Amino acid sequence: MAEQADTLRRTPLSRTRILRAAVALADEAGIESLSMRNLAQDLGVVPMALYKHVANKDELLDGMIDMVVGEIDPPVPDAGWKRVVRGRILSARQVLRRHPWAPLAIESRNMATPAILAYLDSVVGTLRADGFSADLAHHVMHAMGSRILGFSQELFDASRRAGRSGITDPDPPAALPPEVAARFPHLAEIAGAASHDDASVVGQGCDDQFEFEFALDLLLDGIERLHRQGWTSSRRPR
């Protein structure tokens, strides 16, 4: 192991090597642990050496996001739009589960990075190639929101409200106290009505992966119906 570390330290510094090390550091310790000083220490260089390849921390974060987005599977060839879009979104979700800091990093940027723009352009291209009008494709992207990138902001995700990185809350909320359940009986009723996953952000008892796919399939089925009907926003009620 010591020899491997020495070999790595002797590897010439490059932008790609810096970004990979930054992603690994964020994966291991969270995005809040990322600093140019910590990254330089991991790489065995002085901090100033990093600035020859990344201008500042913002550029570093953009590069890290693009590296993560680059892990999303490419479109399945010769498949219908629904299979392609569903597959890419679920691939994006798996990528973000490997890099739980990435959703907050993506949301923190003022502008989409080149890799995100390329990914979104590809998704729109899939819809257009299957006959979607530009109008319908526009509204589809609005409806999908961040789900296109494999994550969604759940109503009861305390970790996101607190600004911590991660897709799930490590300490999910307990069942509703009796006095709260009495006041809000409908919420209490649905709390135990789903499959169970102790790491859920929606609430203890919810299966995050199932809920994500359930909502995704609802959206895709509705989009498919509108596409078949030749829907256009010019005919929407005003």
Side-chain angles (χ1 to χ4, degrees):
M1 293 295 293
E3 291 180 0
Q4 291 178 348
D6 289 341
T7 300
L8 181 61
R9 290 172 184 273
R10 289 196 300 269
T11 303
L13 201 60
S14 66
R15 179 181 173 85
T16 298
R17 185 183 166 206
I18 290 171
L19 294 178
R20 285 177 178 166
V23 168
L25 178 60
D27 288 347
E28 181 178 355
I31 196 69
E32 62 278 358
S33 69
L34 182 66
S35 68
M36 301 301 263
R37 182 176 299 277
N38 289 344
L39 181 56
Q41 184 175 356
D42 277 6
L43 288 165
V45 299
V46 296
M48 287 303 298
L50 302 179
Y51 292 101
K52 296 179 181 179
H53 304 277
V54 288
N56 48 47
K57 190 173 179 180
D58 281 340
E59 185 176 315
L60 177 69
L61 283 171
D62 285 347
M64 292 167 64
I65 290 169
D66 280 356
M67 183 157 282
V68 167
V69 172
E71 296 178 21
I72 300 173
D73 291 341
V76 176
D78 303 320
W81 73 267
K82 193 174 179 182
R83 180 185 171 195
V84 171
V85 172
R86 188 178 194 274
R88 300 203 78 194
I89 290 174
L90 291 181
S91 172
R93 180 165 174 80
Q94 290 305 310
V95 168
L96 294 192
R97 291 176 84 87
R98 293 197 296 269
H99 308 289
W101 51 270
L104 283 178
I106 290 170
E107 289 182 337
S108 73
R109 313 317 293 152
N110 292 327
M111 294 184 62
T113 66
I116 288 179
L117 290 174
Y119 171 73
L120 296 178
D121 185 74
S122 175
V123 172
V124 174
T126 295
L127 300 176
R128 297 286 282 134
D130 218 311
F132 279 62
S133 68
D135 181 51
L136 179 54
H138 171 98
H139 292 287
V140 165
M141 299 301 282
H142 273 291
M144 286 292 191
S146 67
R147 198 173 299 274
I148 285 282
L149 288 162
F151 69 96
S152 59
Q153 185 172 355
E154 301 290 0
L155 281 175
F156 307 115
D157 188 350
S159 69
R160 298 179 74 79
R161 290 197 302 272
R164 300 196 304 271
S165 60
I167 293 178
T168 60
D169 187 344
D171 187 16
L176 293 176
E179 63 276 12
V180 178
R183 186 177 177 184
F184 305 107
H186 298 303
L187 288 178
E189 181 182 31
I190 69 169
S195 54
H196 291 77
D197 177 358
D198 289 340
S200 172
V201 300
V202 181
Q204 194 163 13
C206 296
D207 181 335
D208 279 352
Q209 184 65 26
F210 174 84
E211 299 298 347
F212 185 92
E213 293 191 33
F214 177 77
L216 174 60
D217 288 337
L218 280 181
L219 282 167
L220 292 173
D221 288 346
I223 291 165
E224 184 174 45
R225 175 175 57 82
L226 293 177
H227 179 39
R228 288 175 177 173
Q229 293 173 351
W231 182 91
T232 173
S233 64
S234 65
R235 299 204 301 266
R236 72 187 189 276
R238 296 184 181 276

